[in-house]
Amino acid sequence: MKDVTMTVNGKTVKKPVKGNTLMTEFLRETLRLTGTHVGCDTSQCGACVIHVNGEAVKACTMFAMEAEGAEVTTIEAMANADGSLNTIQQAFQDHHGLQCGFCTPGMVMSAAALLKDNPKPTEAEVRDYLEGNICRCTGYHNIVKAIMAASGQDVSRIAAE
């Protein structure tokens, strides 16, 4: 066991970890931040997307030790300071971009990364960006619509599929 120190959601944490501890396990089991979901453990589903130093990362592909000194943001930190939903989360609610909710944390984290890099993505760009996230409930249409709405675009022209 070796200590790892990082800033998670604005708070510095220092915890002992085994060298093979995945970031998903560290967040969920050690820090009890269970919003980061574990869907596949093979980097296929995107349910575990977090931000590390401002970049979207699938937490199941990263060892906790690799985050030494890093700034880590999880879904728990995405709400507004007063606890209300942020723009992306509200858009997911308003446009029915979730059903069972299992993929939602990863989708929201991916959407935030996309909108940071591309503030006004096209529908095709959103769909392309979400290629690494799997949703088995919604068929993606309302997720795409929610992300475009969060970017401030008029989504009334997007017809249901």
Side-chain angles (χ1 to χ4, degrees):
M1 300 270 279
K2 190 173 180 187
D3 282 350
V4 63
T5 303
M6 66 186 78
T7 302
V8 180
N9 299 335
K11 296 179 183 173
T12 301
V13 296
K14 181 178 181 178
K15 299 284 182 180
V17 296
K18 294 179 184 174
N20 64 348
T21 302
L22 291 174
M23 198 63 183
T24 49
E25 180 183 349
F26 181 74
L27 292 170
R28 292 181 60 81
E29 304 299 325
T30 304
L31 300 183
R32 303 313 241 179
L33 295 172
T34 57
T36 300
H37 291 168
V38 178
C40 67
D41 266 339
T42 60
S43 186
Q44 301 298 309
C45 74
C48 66
V49 173
I50 60 173
H51 296 175
V52 178
N53 294 328
E55 298 296 320
V57 172
K58 291 181 179 177
C60 74
T61 66
M62 179 180 194
F63 293 115
M65 295 300 292
E66 292 178 283
E68 175 65 39
E71 292 275 339
V72 177
T73 306
T74 70
I75 190 67
E76 285 87 354
M78 294 302 287
N80 294 319
D82 66 0
S84 63
L85 300 177
N86 75 10
T87 302
I88 297 168
Q89 293 168 315
Q90 189 64 55
F92 268 69
Q93 181 177 346
D94 293 345
H95 296 280
H96 310 288
L98 60 126
Q99 285 183 29
C100 82
F102 191 81
C103 72
T104 305
M107 290 286 187
V108 168
M109 298 303 287
S110 291
L114 168 62
L115 295 178
K116 180 186 93 176
D117 294 339
N118 184 355
K120 297 284 185 200
T122 65
E123 183 176 350
E125 289 170 330
V126 172
R127 289 183 184 280
D128 184 59
Y129 195 87
L130 294 180
E131 192 172 280
N133 294 74
I134 294 175
C135 175
R136 298 183 187 269
C137 299
T138 68
Y140 298 91
H141 182 70
N142 288 340
I143 293 170
V144 172
K145 196 173 185 177
I147 294 169
M148 293 184 70
S151 76
Q153 297 182 67
D154 177 16
V155 295
S156 62
R157 71 187 191 300
I158 300 175
E161 291 182 351

